[in-house]
């Protein structure tokens, strides 16, 4: 298997896209740390699904927007598995509304979780990867970070920031055989997108050449590729997984 003996940490992997990524990496041979902030039950369900298929996984609670929690998350990963090869920064929240009615708290929550959380986890994990002279980091951005989305100023800013983080960090750590890439999903029905207006979703699907929504498994497949040996010479890139939506 492509990821045999690799250790992967996937933030926000109790459900949705994060769960699909954790399951896909485990299916490729990785041992997985399933991170969650508040819902222990869903995280344990992800762990149980991995174990049922013969894989190895543990659930670790941590709020990645808090640097001390991110440090503890990485420390517990190392304590459980002895190393950390793959980091997928997937944890995210939304607080959608027009800028005119957006509060400072709405802005801070989204930026702190979606962007600062990735910084925190990268910062906590990078020393281990530098010592190993090996690491694979994938940040889950969004088409909103590439093109912007009305009603999602905070989310679009955070996801665009992830793209900048990806490219800058790729330049810093490339000499130590560490790659840093991003995926930019289009519309994927999950709990995170459940509150999007129906007319907005229909408009997006009308624009996308493939004329369908994405699935968590579509995103997981892209992540699995970027952390596999097949992508060893790819870094600093943003892979849109959106049915062609970004072209419109």
């Amino acid at each position: 298997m492509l990821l045999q003996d690799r250790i992967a940490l996937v933030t926000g992997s109790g459900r949705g896209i994060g769960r699909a990524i954790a399951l896909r990496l485990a299916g490729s041979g990785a041992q997985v740390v399933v991170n969650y902030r508040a819902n222990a039950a869903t995280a344990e369900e992800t762990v149980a699904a991995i174990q049922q298929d013969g894989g190895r996984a543990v659930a670790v609670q941590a709020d990645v927007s808090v640097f001390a929690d991110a440090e503890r998350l990485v420390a517990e990963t190392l304590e459980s598995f002895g190393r950390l090869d793959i980091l997928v920064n997937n944890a995210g929240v939304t607080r959608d509304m027009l800028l005119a009615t957006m509060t400072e708290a709405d802005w801070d929550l989204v930026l702190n979780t979606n962007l600062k959380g990735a910084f925190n986890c990268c910062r906590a994990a990078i020393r281990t990867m530098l010592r190993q002279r090996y690491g694979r980091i994938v940040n889950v951005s969004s088409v909103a970070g590439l093109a912007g989305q009305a009603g999602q100023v905070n989310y679009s800013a955070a996801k665009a920031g992830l793209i900048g983080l990806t490219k800058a960090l790729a330049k810093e750590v490339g000499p130590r055989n560490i790659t840093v890439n991003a995926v930019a999903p289009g519309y994927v029905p999950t709990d995170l997108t459940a509150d999007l207006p129906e007319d907005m979703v229909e408009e997006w699907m009308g624009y996308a050449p493939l004329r369908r929504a994405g699935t968590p498994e579509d995103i997981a497949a892209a992540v699995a590729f970027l952390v596999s040996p097949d992508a060893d010479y790819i870094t600093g890139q943003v892979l849109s997984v959106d049915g062609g939506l970004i072209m419109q």
Side-chain angles (χ1 to χ4, degrees), residues 170-182:
K171 292 180 177 180
E172 289 186 13
V173 299
R176 292 294 185 97
N177 192 31
I178 300 169
T179 65
V180 188
N181 292 290

Side-chain angles (χ1 to χ4, degrees), residues 57-137:
V58 297
V60 179
Q61 188 281 330
D63 181 348
V64 298
S65 71
V66 178
F67 183 64
D69 269 26
E71 284 194 309
R72 177 176 55 78
L73 175 59
V74 170
E76 292 192 24
T77 299
L78 296 175
E79 182 178 344
S80 296
F81 295 109
R83 60 184 289 125
L84 173 57
D85 302 296
I86 298 164
L87 169 63
V88 181
N89 286 306
N90 167 77
V93 297
T94 56
R95 289 295 184 273
D96 295 347
M97 63 195 69
L98 296 176
L99 180 65
T101 56
M102 185 176 293
T103 67
E104 183 180 5
D106 294 325
W107 173 271
D108 287 346
L109 176 64
V110 172
L111 269 291
N112 285 342
T113 303
N114 296 20
L115 181 55
K116 185 184 176 187
F119 160 78
N120 287 342
C121 290
C122 287
R123 179 68 177 80
I126 205 67
R127 287 185 180 177
T128 293
M129 291 183 174
L130 289 170
R131 284 195 299 268
Q132 294 172 173
R133 292 184 174 270
Y134 181 89
R136 298 291 179 263
I137 299 173

Side-chain angles (χ1 to χ4, degrees), residues 2-3 17 20-22 24-25 28 86 88 136-141 179-186 188 215-232 234 237-243:
L2 289 177
L3 301 179
I17 290 174
I21 293 170
R24 181 62 182 257
L25 298 187
S28 296
I86 298 164
V88 181
R136 298 291 179 263
I137 299 173
V138 177
N139 297 315
V140 180
S141 182
T179 65
V180 188
N181 292 290
V183 294
V188 179
T215 67
E217 289 73 25
D218 289 329
I219 314 307
V223 173
F225 165 68
L226 288 172
V227 303
S228 77
D230 291 336
D232 278 355
I234 299 173
Q237 303 304 304
V238 181
L239 177 58
S240 295
V241 190
D242 62 359

